[in-house]
Amino acid sequence: MKPAITLPPALQAAGRTHVLQRGHKLSYFGGCDYFRLSSHPQVLRALRDGLRNFGLNVSASRMTTGNHPVYERLERSLAAFFGSPTATLAPNGWTPNAMVAQALAGRFSHVLMDERAHASLADAARLLDCPVIKFRHRDAEDLARIIRRLGSVKTLLMTDGLFSHDGSVAPLREYLVVLPRGGTLLVDDAHGAGVLGPTGRGTPEHAGVPTSRIIQTITLSKAFGVFGGAVLGPEKLRADIIARSGIFTGSTPLPLPLACAALKSITILGTNHRMRENLSRNVAHLRHKLRIGGIPVPELPGPIISLVPRNKDEAGRLARQLLAAGIHPPFIKYPGGPENGYFRFAISSEHSLAQLNLLAAVVTAQKNFNLPS
C-alpha cells in the first residue's frame, strides 16, 4: 500500500523574505511572489481601504448583480498595463485557461500542447472537444513536424510562457512562424506576466512578437502578489467568454478588497522599474555564485533556479544543511518538474545579497546535482 500523501509543514510569513516554520525563522526562496508585493505597505493599505469601503465580496456573479465598478477598473488597468484590447477577470489563477476553452469550444480541429504544459492547460484542453496532440518540450521543430503531418487544420497551440519548473521560456517567435494560418497561440503566462519584457508585459514582449494571434492568460498571485486571474485578448474573445463561459457567468468574482489591492499592485509595478532591475540583478548574482562554485546553471530569463538531487539521501542532506543555515528547503514534487522531486529556488527583487550568498555557499558545498532537462 502506498503511503498517504500529506501536506508539507505549515509556513507563515515573517517579514518580506522570511517565513516561520515550526517556530524557526528561515530565509525563504519558495513561492512565486517575485516582487514581494503581497507584503508591500501600499498594497496592504489598498486592501484595508477596499474592505472598509466595499465590504468583503459581491455575493453574486457578474452576470447577475455582482458587476462592481472596481472590477471594471481592474480590467481597464490590466488591459493598459499589458497593452491588450481587453482584459477579462477570472476568479482565480487556474481558471483563465478554462474560460478561454469554454468560449472557443468547437472552433478548432486540433490542440497542440507542450508536453510539460501546466496542468490547468491540460484541464482546459479537455473542454475544447477536439484531439489533443503533445509536442516535445519547447521544440519548434517537433511542432512543425506534427503540423506538416496534420495538413490543413485549424489549430490552437497551448503552452506556458515562462516554465515554472526551471525558468525557461517558450520560443514564441518560432511557434508563430510554423503555426498554420487561422491558428491561435494560447500562452499561460502566469510566471512571465509582470516579470519578462522591458515593461513587464510578459513572454510575448520578451520574445518581441505581435500579439494579434496570441491569447495571454495571467494570474495576479505571482508577480502582482495578490489573487485572481485574467484573460488578455481581443474584444471578440471577451464577448465569447461572457456569452459561453460557465466559469465566468456562474462564479462569484474575486473579493473586492483583493481587487483593490491588485489595482495598487499594478500601479506600483508599472511605475517602479527598479523592482525589475533588482530582480534581474539578484538572479544574475546567484547564477554567477553557483557557477563559480562548480554548478553550471544555465542562463535562463526566469527568476527560478532548479537543482535535482541524484538520490533521496542527497536530497535529505541538502535539506538539513539549508535548515542548519537558516534557509527554508524548497523541495517540491510538481507536475512538469522532475518525477522524484527537486529543489526550486524562486528569487525575488527583495532578497538581500547576504541571503543570496549564503544560499550559494550552502548549495555549492554539496555540488552533487543534476539540472532539469
Side-chain angles (χ1 to χ4, degrees), residues 47 54-62 66-68 70-72 74-75 78 88-93 95 219-221 224-230 247-248 251-263 266:
L47 179 79
F54 305 119
L56 186 57
N57 82 53
V58 294
S59 301
S61 77
R62 293 180 68 189
N67 189 26
H68 197 280
V70 168
Y71 299 134
E72 296 184 339
L74 179 52
E75 287 176 332
L78 284 168
T88 306
L89 285 176
N92 57 57
T95 53
T219 178
L220 297 173
S221 65
F224 296 100
V226 191
F227 191 76
I247 293 172
F248 180 83
S251 61
T252 301
L254 68 159
L256 285 163
L258 291 172
C260 294
L263 278 164
I266 293 164

Side-chain angles (χ1 to χ4, degrees), residues 111-118 121-123 125 132-136 156-159:
V111 168
L112 303 180
M113 182 185 300
D114 186 290
E115 65 183 353
R116 294 192 182 179
H118 192 266
L121 282 171
D123 273 359
V132 178
I133 301 172
K134 293 186 177 181
F135 60 91
R136 287 196 296 267
L156 179 64
L157 171 56
M158 303 174 79
T159 181

Side-chain angles (χ1 to χ4, degrees), residues 10-30 36 319 322-329 351 355:
L11 302 176
Q12 178 181 337
R16 303 192 74 190
T17 60
H18 292 81
V19 292
L20 290 177
Q21 177 180 300
R22 295 172 175 163
H24 298 284
K25 186 177 181 180
L26 305 170
S27 286
Y28 185 55
F29 292 93
R36 294 303 193 263
L322 289 167
L323 284 169
I327 300 171
H328 171 264
H351 282 114
Q355 286 176 300

Side-chain angles (χ1 to χ4, degrees), residues 292-339:
I292 64 175
I295 299 178
V297 291
E299 192 64 43
L300 298 172
I304 297 162
I305 294 175
S306 295
L307 300 172
V308 184
R310 295 178 182 174
N311 53 56
K312 289 183 179 180
D313 289 342
E314 291 182 356
R317 186 180 307 116
L318 178 57
R320 291 190 295 272
Q321 291 170 344
L322 289 167
L323 284 169
I327 300 171
H328 171 264
F331 185 78
I332 63 173
K333 292 185 178 181
Y334 197 74
E339 181 179 353

